[in-house]
Amino acid sequence: MTTKTAQILGFSGILASILVGAGEYLLHYSPQIMGESENYNFFSYVPLSNLSLGHTLAMIGLPFYFAGYFHIYYMLKTGNKLLAQLVLATGFIAFAIGGVWIGSRASIGNIVHLQDSINPTDYKNLIDHYTAHMEVLVQVLRIVIAVLSILFIIAILKGSTQYKKWMAILNPITILIALVLIGFALPSIGQHIIPILMNVTHFILFTISLIQLYKNNRHV
């Protein structure tokens, strides 16, 4: 893999974060999102047209995340190749899980819009089924991202990667936690970033990674 290819892959990761982030924002955002989370009630405030467009943008953008993780692999592989491969594989697992989850959001949103026309018992069964089979993926994704972050940190601290060692601090889970804290401390900002946390996290990650790649090669 050449440096030019690594740059293209890094920009692909940024493109993914923008497209999927825009899609997820359309799927989830309404002014009521912070106070109507129970039983996905916030979806009732999201226009159906937003659900369709958000789903389309997210599905278009998702494959570019896999390209983005090849960029991360390139940046790590000069250190410990096995650790770099594990980060790559874990990144693929994370976005495979995330893709299944986000692909389901337009459907559950549509079900919420149909609440008044569905028998209450049937509606509860639909919501419970979704929670047990799809919403649980969010918890799984957080665990996978935590594992990915640990591998990312170890790979960088072992040295000889294309990252400065301080980059270990800017791993995905640390960025994610920082954004959550900012979001809850500043609700006016939080209502916009919390619905798209993983995408904002990776926009930051890929941007900083590309800056380091550029600095590493500007005199070459």
Side-chain angles (χ1 to χ4, degrees):
M1 188 188 302
T2 65
T3 299
K4 184 65 175 178
T5 300
Q7 289 174 337
I8 293 170
L9 292 170
F11 281 112
S12 295
I14 289 177
L15 178 62
S17 69
I18 293 170
L19 287 174
V20 180
E24 192 169 358
Y25 188 85
L26 287 168
L27 283 164
H28 290 149
Y29 179 73
S30 76
Q32 292 79 15
I33 190 168
M34 301 294 277
E36 295 284 346
S37 60
E38 185 177 359
N39 292 328
Y40 315 101
N41 287 336
F42 63 88
F43 276 119
S44 63
Y45 301 98
V46 179
L48 289 173
S49 58
N50 283 15
L51 293 178
S52 295
L53 179 58
H55 175 82
T56 301
L57 288 175
M59 293 302 98
I60 291 171
L62 183 67
F64 292 100
Y65 266 125
F66 297 97
Y69 265 87
F70 272 112
H71 165 82
I72 299 294
Y73 167 75
Y74 175 85
M75 297 295 288
L76 293 173
K77 71 183 179 70
T78 53
N80 185 299
K81 191 171 183 179
L82 176 59
L83 283 170
Q85 290 170 338
L86 289 173
V87 170
L88 176 64
T90 309
F92 274 28
I93 292 169
F95 283 98
I97 294 169
V100 171
W101 176 78
I102 199 168
S104 72
R105 302 305 275 176
S107 294
I108 188 62
N110 190 56
I111 288 171
V112 172
H113 275 267
L114 294 171
Q115 179 177 359
D116 292 338
S117 62
I118 301 174
N119 177 281
T121 300
D122 292 339
Y123 181 76
K124 185 178 186 304
N125 286 339
L126 286 168
I127 293 296
D128 290 346
H129 183 274
Y130 181 86
T131 300
H133 292 83
M134 289 296 174
E135 194 64 15
V136 69
L137 294 178
V138 175
Q139 308 305 323
V140 176
L141 180 58
R142 287 169 182 162
I143 293 169
V144 175
I145 289 294
V147 171
L148 185 155
S149 298
I150 292 169
L151 293 169
F152 183 81
I153 291 167
I154 294 171
I156 292 172
L157 293 182
K158 277 184 169 292
S160 299
T161 71
Q162 294 206 50
Y163 292 122
K164 302 294 185 183
K165 288 194 175 181
W166 55 258
M167 184 68 181
I169 299 171
L170 298 176
N171 62 81
I173 200 68
T174 300
I175 298 172
L176 189 69
I177 291 170
L179 290 171
V180 169
L181 293 175
I182 292 169
F184 282 106
L186 302 169
S188 60
I189 296 174
Q191 66 177 333
H192 296 289
I193 64 171
I194 286 177
I196 56 171
L197 274 175
M198 196 64 72
N199 301 293
V200 178
T201 295
H202 279 83
F203 179 86
I204 293 169
L205 178 68
F206 289 127
T207 298
I208 295 173
S209 185
L210 277 168
I211 289 170
Q212 289 201 45
L213 178 61
Y214 170 76
K215 287 183 176 179
N216 292 345
N217 292 277
R218 62 182 171 180
H219 299 304
V220 175

